[in-house]
Amino acid sequence: MGILGLDVGGSWVKGAVVDTETGDLLSERVRIPTPTPPTPERIAGVVREVVAELDYTGPVGCSFPTVVVNGTALTAGNIDPAWRGTHVAELFGESTGLDFVVHNDADLAGLAEMTIGAGRDLDGTVMMITIGTGLGSGVFFNGALIPNIEAGRMPGPDGEPIEFYAGDRARKDADLSWSDWGDRFNYFLQRTHRVFAPAHFIIGGGASKKLHKFGDKIDVDASIHVAHFLNNAGIVGAAIAARDGGIETR
């Protein structure tokens, strides 16, 4: 069944129609830069552009870079503060005329991987880590999602959210080599492992395809897996969530 999955991030808004049984993309992947400032009205306009470009009608799943409960953004993360308290599903529905299911981005990336990707045979505590503008995290225990866990908001060495130190934007802003940035990412994983003690990490997001450039820096007592769907995991998970009518978040 082909369902549109959208992935709203701090840098890009991406979307494609997905075969929810296999995770294959049934359309081109449309990618439009996240507008500046990334206000609700501006991003809703970009979402409308993606839907129109794909000429899609039907239910839509959307992965979104904030804590999301019952379709409402409770935090702002790496987007505009105006998103706090915004009912994202209703806003995008009004903008496109379609029905939306909206959840946290790393939760949906993890859903894709745990359902039909790298995590489908993993038991115990599994953490999906998405490396993008910031650092997303989705936590699963024996396959069940524990929603809206944002490990990237833990304090880093300077007291600011650790994703400001170890996310991909931080790598680019500081012009770090993959190896030097790998030390920062390993620091994040070690802190995360100390708090959550997962048996497995699944690494996704835009930097996951570069794991060979920094993987030797990772030193944690957990198995490391590259996301099967790489940077498309959020799109795939969003489509699966829409197929299933959403997931329980509170």
Side-chain angles (χ1 to χ4, degrees):
M1 180 180 182
I3 293 180
L4 176 58
L6 295 177
D7 185 4
V8 175
S11 300
W12 299 93
V13 178
K14 300 169 290 186
V17 179
V18 178
D19 181 328
T20 57
E21 298 300 321
T22 65
D24 294 334
L25 302 191
L26 302 177
S27 72
E28 65 173 320
R29 189 182 73 159
V30 175
R31 190 173 78 150
I32 298 175
T34 301
T36 303
T39 61
E41 294 75 16
R42 285 174 174 264
I43 290 184
V46 173
V47 166
R48 185 169 58 249
E49 287 183 51
V50 173
V51 171
E53 188 163 337
L54 290 169
D55 192 25
Y56 176 84
T57 58
V60 183
C62 179
S63 74
F64 201 74
T66 70
V67 170
V68 179
V69 175
N70 298 328
T72 297
L74 301 188
T75 61
N78 291 300
I79 54 177
D80 196 89
W83 281 101
R84 293 190 185 97
T86 297
H87 198 294
V88 187
E90 288 183 357
L91 175 66
F92 291 168
E94 291 168 359
S95 179
T96 63
L98 303 178
D99 292 329
F100 273 73
V101 168
V102 180
H103 294 291
N104 173 266
D105 53 358
D107 286 352
L108 291 186
L111 178 67
E113 295 298 327
M114 296 300 292
T115 304
I116 52 176
R120 62 189 179 276
D121 295 323
L122 300 180
D123 295 322
T125 303
V126 181
M127 288 196 71
M128 176 79 195
I129 302 296
T130 56
I131 309 168
T133 301
L135 292 168
S137 56
V139 182
F140 295 80
F141 181 70
N142 288 340
L145 173 66
I146 304 170
N148 291 312
I149 302 295
E150 294 204 305
R153 306 305 290 184
M154 294 188 299
D158 57 0
E160 292 295 313
I162 197 169
E163 63 182 352
F164 296 169
Y165 172 77
D168 200 36
R169 176 175 285 174
R171 177 187 66 82
K172 294 174 181 177
D173 288 349
D175 195 25
L176 297 174
S177 69
W178 284 104
S179 179
D180 288 342
W181 174 80
D183 288 325
R184 294 191 180 195
F185 183 65
N186 183 59
Y187 173 82
F188 164 72
L189 288 186
Q190 288 181 335
R191 290 288 304 278
T192 302
H193 191 272
R194 175 64 183 83
V195 173
F196 295 97
H200 313 279
F201 283 109
I202 301 174
I203 310 299
S208 58
K209 58 183 177 291
K210 303 290 187 180
L211 186 64
H212 62 284
K213 293 187 175 183
F214 62 88
D216 62 329
K217 296 290 186 174
I218 296 176
D219 181 20
V220 291
D221 186 20
S223 65
I224 305 296
H225 307 264
V226 178
H228 176 75
F229 297 108
L230 298 173
N231 201 26
N232 288 334
I235 291 174
V236 174
I240 292 172
R243 178 198 66 188
D244 295 342
I247 53 180
E248 185 66 38
T249 55
R250 176 167 284 179

